[in-house]
């Protein structure tokens, strides 16, 4: 699949896909982020999120950054789509 073609309007594609199920894409991202933080705290009890870094593998255009940046010390994303990474950096 060629992901670069979605890099500029990825969020719109996600919203359209979820609209069929009458789901709110921002709410789903928040639930995903909160679940990740909960699992992090459950399994890494000795680590505090504010002292920890996160690697977002397959970060796409960086939609999770807005949710993870206030919680974790550092958020780094990697992706196979150069165009998506450019969008994520912005």
């Amino acid at each position: 699949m060629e992901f670069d073609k979605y890099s500029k309007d990825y969020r719109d594609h996600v919203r359209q896909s979820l609209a069929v199920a009458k789901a709110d894409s921002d709410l789903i991202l928040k639930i995903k982020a909160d679940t990740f933080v909960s699992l992090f705290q459950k399994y890494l009890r000795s680590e505090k999120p504010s002292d920890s870094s996160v690697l977002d593998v397959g970060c796409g255009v960086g939609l999770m950054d807005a949710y993870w940046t206030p919680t974790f010390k550092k958020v780094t994303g990697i992706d196979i789509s150069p165009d998506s990474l450019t969008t994520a950096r912005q």
Side-chain angles (χ1 to χ4, degrees), residues 6 9-16 25-26 29 61 63:
Y6 297 104
D9 55 358
Y10 180 78
R11 184 181 286 271
D12 292 333
H13 285 285
V14 170
R15 284 188 174 138
Q16 289 172 0
S25 61
D26 291 329
L29 284 171
V61 297
L63 298 181

Side-chain angles (χ1 to χ4, degrees), residues 13-55:
H13 285 285
V14 170
R15 284 188 174 138
Q16 289 172 0
S17 297
L18 293 172
V20 173
K22 304 214 184 301
D24 179 342
S25 61
D26 291 329
L27 176 62
I28 289 173
L29 284 171
K30 174 136 179 45
I31 291 168
K32 181 179 174 182
D34 290 347
T35 300
F36 179 85
V37 171
S38 293
L39 291 170
F40 178 94
Q41 292 171 323
K42 178 179 179 179
Y43 292 105
L44 299 172
R45 292 183 195 145
S46 63
E47 301 291 327
K48 290 188 280 183
S50 60
D51 292 337
S52 302
S53 298
V54 171
L55 175 61

Side-chain angles (χ1 to χ4, degrees), residues 65-84:
D65 289 3
Y67 298 98
W68 286 344
T69 300
T71 304
F72 293 97
K73 182 178 181 178
K74 181 179 180 183
V75 177
T76 302
I78 60 172
D79 200 281
I80 61 169
S81 167
D83 288 350
S84 293

